[in-house]
Amino acid sequence: MSKTDLAAFLRDRRRRMQPADSDGCSRRTPGLRREEVAGRAHMSVEYYTRLEQGRGAQPSPRILQSLSVALGLDRADRARLFALGAASPMPPPTIPRTVRPHIREMLRRMPTTAAIVTAADYDVIACNPLADALLGHLAVEPNLARRYFLTGRHWSEHADGFAEVAVGRLRAAATRYPADDDLGRLLHQLHECSDAFRTLWAEEPTHLPGHRVKTVDHPSAGRMRLSCDVLLVPEDDQQVVLITAEPGSRDERALASLAPVPGRRSQP
């Protein structure tokens, strides 16, 4: 951590803040006073002053989170504050499940790519029509980990390492979101009902998502060889999964045949 850079950042963002209520007195300097920031951040004025002077000890993630709220920082400034404090931003108490509008719009603009968004617990929280037609049953069971380990509804013929990747991601989610009740219920159910899940959980896999080729045997489109790529949305701990076929191939034509058209319902 550069104490000088952190101190300069805090001073700059404090001076940009305007008091919510005027006290009727003109101020010689712009922005909030140190005691106002300290009060908003629930810390002593002495401690905050030392941080602004570059004399304080390394602030904890909780302190940095309080300062980000007190200074009204946006997402970019918050990330900068934590980087200067050499700390990782504190996750929210529960798994983020809201998909940002620009991500939804991206899915809409890719009609020939099957695309889904998964939360940290593998709930599918958004998908485009082609993905819904390809995967099927998303309205009945939107959680890909539960589908894989408990229902046997594998959307691809070969898992291609999904089990290891899924358990690794769920382990990380359990560490980041210990208070998330939905995640707790999912993990309890998987431990209770799946021998494969319990075995992998004990092995603590650390596989990362990446490019994979999957073979799909769809009830109406037939057998397809599809590529699966994952884009990360780190600020929300979400993943965008893009499923495509080789351009010009029979697989591409088969995948395109699943695209819903007006007046026709997609196959489950």
Side-chain angles (χ1 to χ4, degrees):
M1 175 186 72
S2 169
K3 292 183 179 181
T4 301
D5 290 342
L6 176 61
F9 183 83
L10 291 173
R11 291 194 302 269
D12 177 77
R13 294 309 187 266
R14 174 173 62 84
R15 289 165 182 163
R16 295 187 188 189
M17 289 286 292
Q18 295 301 318
D21 300 309
S22 174
D23 54 13
C25 301
S26 60
R27 299 190 176 204
R28 292 193 297 270
T29 57
L32 296 178
R33 301 184 179 97
R34 284 174 176 166
E35 56 267 27
E36 291 172 325
V37 175
R40 291 183 177 193
H42 307 289
M43 64 183 62
S44 70
V45 179
E46 292 77 12
Y47 178 73
Y48 178 74
T49 299
R50 288 197 298 272
L51 289 177
E52 273 207 1
Q53 294 174 345
R55 298 188 294 112
Q58 179 172 332
S60 68
R62 189 174 300 279
I63 289 292
L64 294 172
Q65 173 65 19
S66 296
L67 287 171
S68 73
V69 174
L71 294 170
L73 302 184
D74 61 19
R75 191 171 62 195
D77 273 350
R78 181 175 178 268
R80 176 63 175 161
L81 175 65
F82 275 85
L84 291 171
S88 298
M90 295 180 63
T94 58
I95 292 174
R97 300 179 186 278
T98 300
V99 180
R100 296 179 186 270
H102 70 276
I103 298 293
R104 288 189 179 276
E105 177 61 18
M106 181 180 71
L107 267 59
R108 188 192 67 80
R109 293 199 306 265
M110 297 189 297
T112 61
T113 295
I116 64 174
V117 181
T118 62
D121 62 352
Y122 275 103
D123 267 354
V124 176
I125 52 179
C127 69
N128 64 4
L130 183 57
D132 193 44
L134 174 65
L135 302 182
H137 304 291
L138 285 176
V140 177
E141 178 48 75
N143 187 275
L144 298 184
R146 187 181 285 113
R147 283 162 62 112
Y148 180 88
F149 287 105
L150 300 185
T151 70
R153 290 182 184 145
H154 306 168
W155 73 271
S156 65
E157 184 176 286
H158 302 292
D160 296 325
F162 173 78
E164 290 81 2
V165 171
V167 173
R169 189 181 181 194
L170 288 173
R171 261 193 167 277
T175 300
R176 284 194 294 268
Y177 311 104
D180 190 290
D181 291 338
D182 289 339
L183 175 61
R185 284 190 288 269
L186 171 65
L187 294 177
H188 176 77
Q189 185 181 23
L190 293 175
H191 273 98
E192 287 290 313
C193 303
S194 173
D195 292 337
F197 181 84
R198 286 195 302 273
T199 299
L200 281 173
W201 186 271
E203 294 175 358
E204 301 190 22
T206 56
H207 294 256
L208 295 176
H211 173 78
R212 285 179 170 79
V213 176
K214 299 177 181 288
T215 301
V216 178
D217 195 0
H218 193 273
S220 63
R223 194 178 181 87
M224 295 176 284
R225 184 176 171 85
L226 303 175
S227 294
C228 181
D229 296 276
V230 177
L231 304 179
L232 303 182
V233 187
E235 61 268 30
D236 295 321
D237 204 3
Q238 295 170 2
Q239 295 180 358
V240 180
V241 183
L242 306 176
I243 305 165
T244 57
E246 182 70 23
S249 66
R250 189 207 67 81
D251 297 322
E252 183 184 46
R253 294 189 293 274
L255 180 62
S257 72
L258 295 175
V261 296
R264 186 186 76 184
R265 298 182 61 184
S266 60
Q267 295 295 320

